[in-house]
Amino acid sequence: MSDSVASSPFYTEDHDAFREVVRQFAEKEIAPHVHEWDLAGEVPRDLYNKAGAIGFFGDGFDEEFGGHGQRDALMRLVLMQEISRAGSGGVVAALLSNYIGLPPVQKFGSDELKARVLTPCMSGEAIAALAITEPSGGSDVARIRTTARRDGDHYVINGSKTFITSGMRADFFTTAVRTGGEGAAGLSMVVIDGDSPGLDRTPLDKMGWLASDTATLYFDDVRVPVENLLGHEGAGFSMIVNNFNPERIDLAAQSIAFARVCYEEALAWARERETFGKRLADHQVIRHKLVEMDRRINANQAWLELLAWRLNAGDDPVAEICEAKVDATLAFEFCAREAAQILGGASYLRGDTVERLYREVRVQAIGGGSEEIMRDLAGRQIGL
């Protein structure tokens, strides 16, 4: 990230110290290997242990289970953007599935459940995933069909989930199920162990995020202890909705970091590449492209830092988070396209950073709620 980001008045010495730790981790442990992991379709399991050793997974989780003890939106912004410097959305998605799978456990799980699930995930010994989306529908979570029927001291789970990040390797699934009637009021959340009998997984092949394993899950009479219920029956919809906002600002932060990577790759190329007797950067049309990329990145970065500061102050700017996710992913899309134009044929070769990020634009714009859904939700929040 640029020096202007690190010198922002929003950040404390603790933020800057954590930035340096994560930056070194990304440069040493991730950046040299991203193409290799793309080809493999996964990151090494020991990468989670290395990440856990630097406190990568701890933001927003209790200290007694290995977390940082507080939720700091600015610290999360630092984490998201520094890990994204390596230029691989797949690696980011693989490592960060804990941050979408575990918050409901932290907020609504019993102490016994938190000890069993959070502790190994904080250290990197275990991996958590969030299982919401189903083959029959995506963002319309009120239509979830996977059922959980009470049978004594267990729930019996039947149904399926798809597009599940870390679905092939997760040890715990925070899962939306239907314990009641139709609609939002019938939804609950349970934690399902990855080794449960009756749980099957099928890998999905994707356009991008190649280093992140993604799966469809099948539940066939999977028995889950009642103690794995989060909160109470019927409380699942609010848990799902409240879990979305942090995910959306995380995706926006990643998108701007990826946009910055595209810009820096294009800037370096334009300074070195010569055409028609002068550097690419000496052509006005190329300079204008680079300035427009930088302008959009800086505007979005300032907005994200302000939103993170407001979250830390206790505000809940749902509409602006939705709008910021739209604007950040559009900026990423613009920068990836312009970087590809500046690099020309070099950006079309598999293994090039811009080529990888160009393919990953779409999932950033769809995951966590598509542009269309974000605009509609923002409109409802502001009273339209």
Side-chain angles (χ1 to χ4, degrees), residues 12-341:
T12 66
E13 291 183 359
D14 287 342
H15 294 131
D16 292 337
F18 189 57
R19 180 191 307 282
E20 186 59 30
V21 169
V22 180
R23 180 175 295 193
Q24 291 181 11
F25 178 77
E27 290 175 351
K28 178 183 177 182
E29 302 291 348
I30 297 176
H33 310 292
V34 289
H35 184 53
E36 170 192 347
W37 295 343
D38 264 8
L39 295 177
E42 61 181 12
V43 301
R45 185 81 186 213
D46 69 355
L47 186 66
Y48 296 86
N49 301 99
K50 294 176 181 178
I54 65 168
F56 188 93
F57 304 115
D59 182 62
F61 299 100
D62 292 340
E63 286 183 299
E64 63 183 295
F65 305 118
H68 295 175
Q70 62 181 1
R71 171 74 168 92
D72 183 343
L74 284 163
M75 194 72 82
R76 181 76 69 87
L77 185 61
V78 168
L79 174 65
M80 293 295 151
Q81 298 204 311
E82 289 301 325
I83 204 69
S84 298
R85 287 172 60 89
S88 172
V91 175
V92 172
L95 282 176
L96 293 174
S97 66
N98 278 353
Y99 275 116
I100 58 173
L102 293 179
V105 180
Q106 165 67 38
K107 293 178 182 178
F108 303 104
S110 66
D111 287 343
E112 292 78 10
L113 185 64
K114 287 193 282 188
R116 187 168 68 84
V117 174
L118 296 183
T119 303
C121 287
M122 293 298 100
S123 69
E125 292 296 325
I127 301 167
L130 183 68
I132 304 293
T133 302
E134 298 187 346
S136 60
S139 297
D140 187 3
V141 296
R143 296 181 62 246
I144 282 172
R145 297 179 179 178
T146 297
T147 60
R149 175 178 56 83
R150 182 72 180 261
D151 181 25
D153 58 357
H154 285 77
Y155 290 104
V156 180
I157 313 294
N158 283 281
S160 62
K161 303 290 179 179
T162 196
F163 304 136
I164 307 306
T165 301
S166 296
M168 291 304 297
R169 58 170 53 181
D171 302 287
F172 304 103
F173 293 98
T174 302
T175 309
V177 296
R178 185 165 298 283
T179 53
E182 295 182 359
L187 297 180
S188 301
M189 294 283 279
V190 298
V191 175
I192 301 177
D193 286 35
D195 60 358
S196 299
L199 169 61
D200 289 318
R201 323 177 191 205
T202 301
L204 298 174
D205 196 12
K206 311 181 297 295
M207 177 172 70
W209 279 10
L210 299 183
S212 168
D213 74 85
T214 309
T216 296
L217 312 178
Y218 303 93
F219 305 106
D220 184 9
D221 286 341
V222 175
R223 297 184 66 83
V224 175
V226 170
E227 290 77 13
N228 285 24
L229 176 71
L230 299 178
H232 58 84
E233 288 190 7
F237 185 77
S238 63
M239 294 183 197
I240 296 167
V241 171
N242 291 330
N243 206 49
F244 275 144
N245 277 340
E247 181 184 4
R248 287 163 181 164
I249 199 168
D250 287 351
L251 286 164
Q254 295 161 28
S255 295
I256 291 307
F258 292 141
R260 177 68 71 179
V261 171
C262 290
Y263 164 75
E264 291 174 350
E265 291 283 317
L267 181 63
W269 182 267
R271 285 171 170 165
E272 296 177 4
R273 184 75 165 177
E274 291 192 3
T275 60
F276 305 104
K278 58 183 178 180
R279 301 180 311 159
L280 270 179
D282 294 325
H283 295 276
Q284 186 184 61
V285 66
I286 300 299
R287 292 201 304 274
H288 286 191
K289 286 178 181 291
L290 290 165
V291 169
E292 181 64 12
M293 293 163 73
D294 194 41
R295 183 188 69 80
R296 297 191 187 199
I297 291 166
N298 290 334
N300 274 275
Q301 182 68 30
W303 193 5
L304 288 173
E305 289 176 356
L306 178 60
L307 289 174
W309 177 83
R310 287 172 61 187
L311 285 168
N312 279 355
D315 197 1
D316 188 24
V318 175
E320 289 187 59
I321 289 174
C322 292
E323 293 167 355
K325 180 182 183 293
V326 172
D327 210 44
T329 54
L330 287 173
F332 177 25
E333 183 173 15
F334 176 83
C335 291
R337 181 194 184 280
E338 294 296 74
Q341 288 299 112

